[in-house]
């Protein structure tokens, strides 16, 4: 009696299909877990504040309203603060990434005799700092209090970002930089015309990190520019609105108003304000991210090729 053998590749094909199914299910669950908090915040921001106190808001508003957004955007200081936030994000990101890239190119050069010392000096600052009070005294002595540049200069060099860009530059083919020197190009010309165009994926990645940090920053406004409303940022103004709503919620009069909705006037709660603030602060970064996503993939591809 002859034994029938399985077609070649049958078990391999089944294993591949099982892996694909598991991979798809796992990725769907990962997307759901990642997106649910944001979608929940979005639903809370469009739901009536009094109704939200009951709970049970998950993916869809139960009682639609725009009052939460109207409450925030009725603050006249929001618009000027938004402009300052955009300005500090654009200027701060451009200046920081350019200066960090110059430092990264410098310490990536083997001929630079102080490269190890300079690298260790910057890495040291990642683990040790002077503290809040010495930092404030330094900023004051530099004349940066009540100045827009206090948002730019203190964080102009990001050590972690420098290490990322330096590693990317070191992965570039050596022949490209050597040919530029043979053609008579100086270090700055090589950096501007050769290094920067080739490191766009790394620069785009670092730019996103810096931009998010600049956009979300509010504590430096509180420390250095809280007395100057003209230099306030969106995050700081949103923080003040949240503090105001928390104070109102803690008073008995406000609590009664929240519970009864006197006079039919729409109200807000700290929870509804917090959800609305989250959406307002997140949307600009979410809009920028898709334009930088392609550089992440390209950076992985280019960074894996050397020589």
């Amino acid at each position: 009696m002859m034994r029938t053998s399985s077609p070649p590749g049958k078990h391999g094909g089944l294993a591949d299909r099982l892996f694909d199914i598991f991979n798809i299910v796992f990725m769907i669950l990962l997307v759901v877990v990642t997106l649910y908090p944001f979608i929940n915040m979005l639903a809370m921001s469009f739901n009536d504040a009094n109704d939200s106190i009951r709970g049970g808001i998950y993916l869809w508003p139960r009682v639609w309203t725009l009052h939460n957004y109207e409450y925030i955007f009725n603050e006249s200081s929001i618009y000027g603060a938004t402009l300052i936030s955009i300005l500090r994000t654009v200027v701060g990101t451009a200046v920081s990434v350019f200066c960090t890239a110059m430092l990264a190119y410098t310490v990536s050069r083997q001929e630079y005799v102080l490269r190890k010392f300079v690298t260790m000096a910057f890495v040291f600052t990642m683990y040790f700092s002077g503290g809040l009070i010495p930092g404030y005294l330094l900023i004051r002595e530099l004349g940066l209090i009540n100045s827009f540049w206090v948002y730019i200069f203190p964080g102009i060099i990001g050590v972690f970002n420098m290490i990322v860009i330096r590693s990317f530059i070191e992965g570039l083919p050596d022949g490209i930089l050597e040919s530029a020197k043979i053609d008579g190009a100086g270090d700055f010309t090589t950096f501007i015309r050769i290094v920067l165009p080739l490191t766009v994926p790394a620069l785009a990645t670092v730019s996103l990190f810096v931009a998010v940090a600049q956009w979300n920053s509010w504590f430096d406004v509180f420390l250095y520019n809280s007395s100057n409303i003209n230099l306030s940022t969106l995050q700081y103004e949103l923080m003040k609105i949240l503090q105001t709503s928390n104070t109102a919620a803690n008073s008995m009069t406000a609590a009664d108003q929240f519970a009864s909705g006197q006079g039919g006037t729409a109200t807000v709660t700290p929870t509804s304000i917090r959800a609305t603030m989250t959406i307002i602060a997140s949307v600009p970064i979410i809009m920028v991210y898709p334009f930088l996503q392609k550089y992440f993939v390209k950076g992985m591809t280019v960074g894996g090729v050397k020589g």
Side-chain angles (χ1 to χ4, degrees):
M1 182 175 180
M2 298 183 61
R3 179 180 298 177
T4 58
S5 58
S6 301
K10 180 178 180 180
H11 296 291
L14 178 61
D16 290 340
R17 286 195 296 270
L18 290 176
F19 175 78
D20 291 339
I21 293 173
F22 173 79
N23 194 31
I24 292 173
V25 172
F26 175 77
M27 289 300 174
I28 292 176
L29 292 176
L30 184 62
V31 170
V32 170
V33 172
T34 303
L35 289 182
Y36 173 74
F38 181 80
I39 297 177
N40 179 253
M41 287 288 111
L42 185 64
M44 292 284 291
S45 69
F46 282 107
N47 195 77
D48 180 73
N50 291 327
D51 181 74
S52 297
I53 297 176
R54 297 165 46 199
I57 305 299
Y58 301 108
L59 301 177
W60 197 259
R62 187 164 50 225
V63 180
W64 281 85
T65 182
L66 294 176
H67 181 70
N68 297 323
Y69 290 93
E70 292 174 356
Y71 179 83
I72 290 181
F73 288 114
N74 280 339
E75 295 288 335
S76 59
S77 59
I78 285 293
Y79 302 99
T82 302
L83 180 60
I84 294 296
S85 288
I86 295 174
L87 188 61
R88 74 169 290 182
T89 300
V90 173
V91 176
T93 301
V95 174
S96 177
V97 172
F98 182 78
C99 293
T100 303
M102 282 200 299
L103 175 63
Y105 172 69
T106 301
V107 297
S108 69
R109 298 299 86 208
Q110 296 290 339
E111 60 270 21
Y112 181 47
V113 294
L114 296 178
R115 60 191 299 267
K116 292 185 178 179
F117 172 78
V118 173
T119 301
M120 291 304 300
F122 276 93
V123 171
F124 181 84
T125 64
M126 294 178 65
Y127 301 98
F128 303 96
S129 65
L132 183 61
I133 295 177
Y136 179 86
L137 296 177
L138 174 63
I139 295 298
R140 187 184 66 180
E141 292 301 319
L142 292 175
L144 295 177
I145 301 295
N146 288 326
S147 169
F148 173 80
W149 298 108
V150 76
Y151 303 144
I152 309 300
F153 292 149
I156 198 170
I157 297 294
V159 180
F160 175 78
N161 297 333
M162 181 270 291
I163 295 174
V164 171
I165 299 175
R166 184 199 65 180
S167 301
F168 195 92
I169 294 176
E170 290 175 345
L172 296 177
D174 296 330
I176 296 179
L177 301 181
E178 292 176 358
S179 62
K181 291 184 177 181
I182 294 175
D183 291 338
D187 287 326
F188 190 74
T189 302
T190 302
F191 171 73
I192 295 295
R193 297 188 176 183
I194 306 296
V195 175
L196 283 185
L198 292 177
T199 55
V200 167
L203 297 180
T205 304
V206 170
S207 296
L208 183 61
F209 296 157
V210 177
V212 171
Q214 286 281 9
W215 178 258
N216 290 331
S217 181
W218 66 268
F219 192 61
D220 51 358
V221 187
F222 172 73
L223 286 179
Y224 309 122
N225 290 337
S226 58
S227 61
N228 191 343
I229 188 63
N230 294 324
L231 293 175
S232 183
T233 62
L234 175 63
Q235 304 295 342
Y236 184 62
E237 292 301 318
L238 292 177
M239 185 272 297
K240 291 196 298 183
I241 293 175
L242 180 60
Q243 285 186 337
T244 302
S245 65
N246 284 330
T247 302
N250 290 332
S251 67
M252 293 301 296
T253 303
D256 292 339
Q257 183 184 8
F258 292 154
S260 61
Q262 296 175 3
T265 303
T267 60
V268 295
T269 64
T271 302
S272 64
I273 290 298
R274 191 180 302 113
T276 308
M277 287 170 48
T278 301
I279 300 302
I280 294 175
S282 302
V283 165
I285 298 299
I286 294 175
M287 294 175 62
V288 171
Y289 181 79
F291 297 99
L292 300 178
Q293 174 64 29
K294 60 180 180 180
Y295 293 109
F296 296 160
V297 178
K298 183 178 179 181
M300 295 171 58
T301 304
V302 176
V305 180
K306 180 175 175 62

